[in-house]
Amino acid sequence: MRTIERIRTLNPLIQNITNVVVTNFTANGLLAIGASPVMAYAHEEVADMAKIASALVLNMGTLDETVIESMIIAGKSANENNVPVVFDPVGAGATPYRTESARRILREVKVNVLRGNAAEVANVIGEEWAIKGVDAGNGTGDVVSLAQKAARQLGCITVLTGKDDVITNGDTTYVVGNGHPILTKVTGTGCLLSSVIGAFYAAGEQPLYAVTEAVAYYGVAAELAAAKTVEKGPGSFQIEFLNQLAVVSDEILNDREKIQLLV
């Protein structure tokens, strides 16, 4: 059984401490794939919520000390209760505060998956890479080597997203060629991907490949949504994208997914 079908059967509870820009979109996207989203932020409850979640997703898009503390409290609870943690270090490298916050979270919480663009991943592990706000700049490094280095250094699966997406645990590496450029015209698509990865990790039988499936599934849904809204723009795409997340089938995936194992 594919992981998407397991999600639709198991309805995993995904706790999100995410940014205020994307909360609604993230919740609707998780509902679309068959997961159950919860957005719990208060220091008083995040540890209890993480204890019962199927996965915890930490996203530092809108950042302050209260949010950081909530992430660390929830992350430690998740670690103690063997709940997988996905970390999205939004904008790491844009400011010293943001970079140090990402590194602090990684020092205090064991993450299972790090998901970011090349600039974010590079800055988290101390590599040089240009960043513009929260978007990757025009770095010229080897993204496969960067992802593998991050995975080995942090002891987690790294998902480095871009034109092609790299998914690696440091030893085994996949590249996914699905997706569409219009994803960059809708805010929160990267953030939602991190939460979708959390659902796939929670429901999957083999973590690395389940995360790879998540990235391919997401990209296929984007391709189909873009084709259906080609003359309508990003607003229509966003709505249709949620539709496609809900309806992409095994048959469609078998026909469209572009997953390459690097050797």
Side-chain angles (χ1 to χ4, degrees):
M1 180 186 292
R2 277 189 175 268
T3 304
I4 184 60
E5 298 304 329
R6 291 177 59 82
I7 291 170
R8 290 166 177 164
T9 300
L10 297 172
N11 188 225
L13 177 66
I14 310 303
Q15 181 186 0
N16 302 267
I17 302 179
T18 191
N19 71 78
V20 297
V21 179
V22 306
T23 305
N24 178 269
F25 184 54
T26 298
N28 281 327
L30 285 170
L31 287 170
I33 67 170
S36 180
V38 61
M39 276 60 181
Y41 298 78
H43 292 178
E44 294 81 2
E45 72 166 347
V46 290
D48 291 328
M49 192 65 75
K51 189 184 302 184
I52 63 172
S54 301
L56 169 67
V57 180
L58 307 177
N59 176 305
M60 54 178 237
T62 47
L63 202 57
D64 61 33
E65 285 303 307
T66 301
V67 171
I68 294 170
E69 290 302 325
S70 289
M71 289 184 178
I72 291 171
I73 294 168
K76 288 181 175 178
S77 176
N79 290 166
E80 291 167 3
N81 291 281
N82 297 313
V83 174
V85 179
V86 178
F87 180 43
D88 189 335
V90 181
T95 66
Y97 173 67
R98 195 166 280 272
T99 305
E100 177 50 36
S101 296
R103 292 175 181 173
R104 179 188 170 195
I105 291 166
L106 287 166
R107 284 196 301 270
E108 299 196 36
V109 176
K110 172 68 176 119
V111 307
N112 299 85
V113 182
L114 175 72
R115 203 294 307 171
N117 61 41
E120 292 162 345
V121 171
N123 281 283
V124 160
I125 65 169
E127 296 289 316
E128 292 293 326
W129 201 288
I131 188 165
K132 181 181 180 182
V134 297
D135 298 318
N138 296 317
T140 58
D142 180 341
V143 293
V144 172
S145 295
L146 173 62
Q148 291 170 337
K149 181 175 182 179
R152 293 180 187 126
Q153 183 171 314
L154 300 173
C156 69
I157 295 169
T158 295
V159 180
L160 195 156
T161 50
K163 183 178 179 182
D164 291 316
D165 304 313
V166 181
I167 304 95
T168 183
N169 60 10
D171 296 317
T172 302
T173 302
Y174 294 96
V175 175
V176 172
N178 296 106
H180 193 279
I182 200 172
L183 283 167
T184 65
K185 302 300 182 182
V186 175
T187 190
T189 54
C191 303
L192 173 56
L193 174 57
S194 296
S195 294
V196 168
I197 286 170
F200 272 74
Y201 192 108
E205 297 180 305
Q206 202 289 322
L208 179 62
Y209 198 74
V211 171
T212 304
E213 283 185 285
V215 176
Y217 186 90
Y218 201 81
V220 168
E223 292 167 1
L224 295 170
K228 287 178 176 289
T229 59
V230 65
E231 297 179 355
K232 297 180 180 179
S236 295
F237 167 80
Q238 182 182 43
I239 295 170
E240 186 57 37
F241 182 48
L242 292 175
N243 292 337
Q244 293 302 316
L245 285 172
V247 301
V248 169
S249 64
D250 286 355
E251 291 77 16
I252 293 172
L253 281 175
N254 289 337
D255 183 55
R256 297 189 65 103
E257 68 182 3
K258 301 173 184 174
I259 297 175
Q260 176 188 3
L261 173 63
L262 296 188
V263 293

